Amino acid sequence: MKKHLTVLCLILSFSQIGLAQFLHKASKESHYRLVYALNSLQIKNITLNGLGTVDSSYFNNCVDTIALDESFKKSGNYLIASLDHDRLRLELLENRPFKLQVLNNQSDFNVVLIGDNNRFVNNAQVFLEGKKVKFSTEKGLYQLPKRHNKGLLQIDYEGESYYEIITTNYPSYAKKLKNRIVYSFPLKYSR
């Protein structure tokens, strides 16, 4: 009986070795992603300087764990961390409860915020480079009279801050003048 028990234990132990996963063949990716909530200063720093500025202080407020194929729907600013082989993969997730449209029509600067119910958002605080952008009730948008505005756009809405970098791609006055002179004279063909 003792012999049979020993043989049975050996068979079970060798079968477990065959079922074990080798480390060099094991999955080196995480199957879950961690979601960390960001405060206003952290999201502003990431918007201005990129994800390279993230340090350990950004990983204090873990709000959820989601599978790789899932998406996180709650509105706010989040940092999503997952493992990719031997590297930490970071993503910035900004779930805004509104759609943002910047209308720069070369005469003034306009920002349109459209909420979830497809209505204009009129109760947000909008700033461009620290200057308050006022809401125009007759036009249904946030408006600055000066054109060619660029810089950091901050939108405070429902207790969260959202940031966007505004750039202008309009040609300079010298380039406009050069194009006006060069292309204003008709071409003459010789025979």
Side-chain angles (χ1 to χ4, degrees):
M1 180 74 178
K2 195 173 185 182
K3 240 183 191 180
H4 294 297
L5 190 59
T6 306
V7 171
L8 183 62
C9 286
L10 284 173
I11 290 173
L12 286 175
S13 64
F14 282 119
S15 67
Q16 290 297 323
I17 291 173
L19 295 175
Q21 191 176 26
F22 294 107
L23 284 178
H24 68 281
K25 292 182 181 176
S27 174
K28 294 183 181 173
E29 289 185 358
S30 59
H31 298 288
Y32 295 97
R33 298 182 298 170
L34 299 173
V35 181
Y36 295 92
L38 297 174
N39 62 33
S40 180
L41 293 174
Q42 291 171 335
I43 190 68
K44 183 176 182 179
N45 188 28
I46 291 174
T47 303
L48 290 174
N49 304 317
L51 286 171
T53 59
V54 173
D55 58 11
S56 62
S57 67
Y58 286 67
F59 301 102
N60 289 336
N61 192 7
C62 185
V63 293
D64 201 359
T65 303
I66 57 174
L68 283 176
D69 57 347
E70 289 181 19
S71 60
F72 191 71
K73 303 284 187 192
K74 188 176 177 187
S75 65
N77 300 304
Y78 302 99
L79 184 66
I80 298 183
S82 62
L83 194 61
D84 184 13
H85 296 288
D86 60 344
R87 293 180 173 229
L88 181 65
R89 184 183 329 154
L90 298 175
E91 301 171 44
L92 177 62
L93 177 65
E94 293 179 288
N95 284 339
R96 297 176 178 168
F98 55 84
K99 294 175 192 160
L100 169 69
Q101 287 185 319
V102 177
L103 309 171
N104 202 344
N105 59 8
Q106 297 186 8
S107 63
D108 54 2
F109 178 78
N110 301 312
V111 175
V112 178
L113 302 177
I114 301 171
D116 292 333
N117 53 4
N118 289 331
R119 291 190 175 172
F120 294 119
V121 174
N122 60 0
N123 57 346
Q125 299 290 318
V126 179
F127 302 93
L128 182 65
E129 287 296 312
K131 184 177 179 183
K132 185 172 172 82
V133 181
K134 294 183 180 177
F135 184 75
S136 171
T137 53
E138 59 191 37
K139 295 180 182 175
L141 47 82
Y142 295 86
Q143 185 175 34
L144 273 179
K146 187 179 172 191
R147 62 183 178 157
H148 300 306
N149 287 298
K150 59 183 175 180
L152 185 66
L153 181 70
Q154 175 184 350
I155 301 164
D156 296 333
Y157 181 63
E158 294 180 347
E160 291 282 337
S161 294
Y162 303 93
Y163 294 93
E164 187 79 27
I165 295 179
I166 305 297
T167 58
T168 57
N169 295 327
Y170 296 111
S172 66
Y173 180 73
K175 191 171 183 179
K176 284 184 192 176
L177 184 63
K178 179 196 81 139
N179 287 341
R180 199 176 287 167
I181 292 171
V182 170
Y183 297 115
S184 65
F185 298 107
L187 294 175
K188 296 181 182 177
Y189 297 102
S190 61
R191 291 185 192 206

